Amino acid sequence: MTKAEKPQPIAAAAAAAAAIAQRRSESLGTIVHKELERMILSGEIKAGERLSEQSIAARLGVSRGPVREATSALERSGLLTSVANRGVFVREVSADELLELYDMRALLTGFACALVASRATPGDKAKLAAMVDGMGDALDRGDGPRYYQGNLDFHAAIMELAGHVKAAQIYDTLLKEAHLSRRGVLSTPPMMGQSNAEHRAIVAAIVAGDAERARDLGERHVLNGKRRLLTTRTATRSGEADAAHPASDRAEPDPTQVDADPGAPGPRVQRRRNR
């Protein structure tokens, strides 16, 4: 992206103010809540960043009251955290928390996929298939951001078509928390391709009306996302280590050492030799 293409602060502020003006039918607190949530989830305001009520109010063209109301609501939903004598910050999700969020999302996704398989209309099935095709087109064009948004839309459609209000509410909360840390998971074409192949298999099970297979594929899809996250982080750490220690400085690996399961990073373990 060139410097001219990068969103400028003034343009972003103007867009936010325009969004506020277009939604005057909603309460001001609700409008500010939605816009502040969007700014957090899009990465405009980053994890760990301190929020300034005054700056946010000026940016959105509102008083500090609605901003305070919105930050309180977002703190309750898990996106913000308040630190005594320091202020309000965008919450940073720990590695362990993120993995737990994947586990819970897997259960809910499998549950929702089974419900959709048992109740989907021909129109619902066609809609899901078209969404998978759209993600495939984005993949063919190398359009990562479009694929990422399509992935979010596909999962939102599954939850909506499942028709289970409470499950959708819980899933939405889990997803927003996970969103703070997971944007890089679908960062490479091979990972996007794997992800969309799993989407296509889920839709095939839904079209066939096979609820149990849809449940299994839905759960495995999210757990595979967890595995992709671990792979990405391992590769990132490896790249950082390689940059810090050139090949000429690294010792040859000890053949008596073996790595733990890559799906569960941990200390290296010693392989016992048979005597």
Side-chain angles (χ1 to χ4, degrees):
M1 180 181 287
T2 66
K3 184 176 293 186
E5 292 174 317
K6 292 182 178 178
Q8 301 300 313
I10 294 177
I20 293 285
Q22 290 174 357
R23 297 201 293 253
R24 287 294 180 186
S25 60
E26 300 176 274
S27 73
L28 193 56
T30 299
I31 295 169
V32 173
H33 177 280
K34 288 183 177 180
E35 186 59 23
L36 187 53
E37 180 181 78
R38 183 199 64 76
M39 291 160 67
I40 293 168
L41 296 179
S42 69
E44 286 182 36
I45 305 176
K46 302 190 181 302
E49 187 173 336
R50 182 179 179 275
L51 295 189
S52 164
E53 282 186 6
Q54 184 174 353
S55 297
I56 296 295
R59 182 172 180 176
L60 299 182
V62 299
S63 67
R64 294 175 66 173
V67 175
R68 190 174 300 115
E69 178 184 338
T71 56
S72 295
L74 290 170
E75 186 177 350
R76 290 193 298 272
S77 70
L79 291 183
L80 299 178
T81 185
S82 180
V83 180
N85 301 319
R86 292 186 59 200
V88 177
F89 297 79
V90 177
R91 192 161 76 84
E92 295 183 277
V93 177
S94 71
D96 287 343
E97 275 186 289
L98 185 57
L99 297 181
E100 289 179 357
L101 289 170
Y102 269 94
D103 293 336
M104 295 305 298
R105 284 180 51 238
L107 293 173
L108 286 170
T109 298
F111 173 70
C113 287
L115 285 177
V116 177
S118 66
R119 65 192 301 172
T121 66
D124 296 335
K125 297 172 182 178
K127 173 184 176 180
L128 292 174
M131 296 178 84
V132 172
D133 288 342
M135 284 184 280
D137 182 66
L139 182 57
D140 290 341
R141 296 173 184 271
D143 190 340
R146 181 182 159 206
Y147 181 88
Y148 185 84
Q149 186 59 52
N151 178 65
L152 294 177
D153 292 343
F154 177 80
H155 285 272
I158 290 287
M159 297 308 299
E160 180 183 358
L161 293 175
H164 197 289
V165 175
K166 183 56 66 176
Q169 290 174 346
I170 296 171
Y171 181 87
D172 187 59
T173 299
L174 296 172
L175 181 64
K176 285 174 181 175
E177 289 186 51
H179 203 82
L180 295 172
S181 297
R182 67 186 285 269
R183 290 189 66 90
V185 178
L186 295 175
S187 58
T188 65
M191 288 188 176
M192 289 187 283
Q194 292 164 11
S195 172
N196 208 39
E198 292 161 13
H199 291 151
R200 200 172 295 281
I202 290 169
V203 172
I206 289 172
V207 169
D210 190 337
E212 284 310 306
R213 179 162 175 74
R215 181 194 303 274
D216 178 60
L217 290 171
E219 287 188 12
R220 280 199 282 159
H221 171 58
V222 178
L223 293 176
N224 283 341
K226 176 181 175 181
R227 176 182 55 76
R228 284 186 280 270
L229 171 70
L230 292 170
T231 299
T232 298
R233 292 194 168 181
T234 299
T236 299
R237 288 195 297 267
S238 177
E240 291 171 349
D242 288 347
H245 303 286
S248 59
D249 295 338
R250 291 197 300 272
E252 288 296 315
D254 183 346
T256 67
Q257 300 289 327
V258 296
D259 288 327
D261 181 352
R268 297 170 71 89
V269 296
Q270 182 98 15
R271 176 184 294 153
R272 296 180 181 274
R273 296 192 182 204
N274 293 325
R275 295 183 181 275

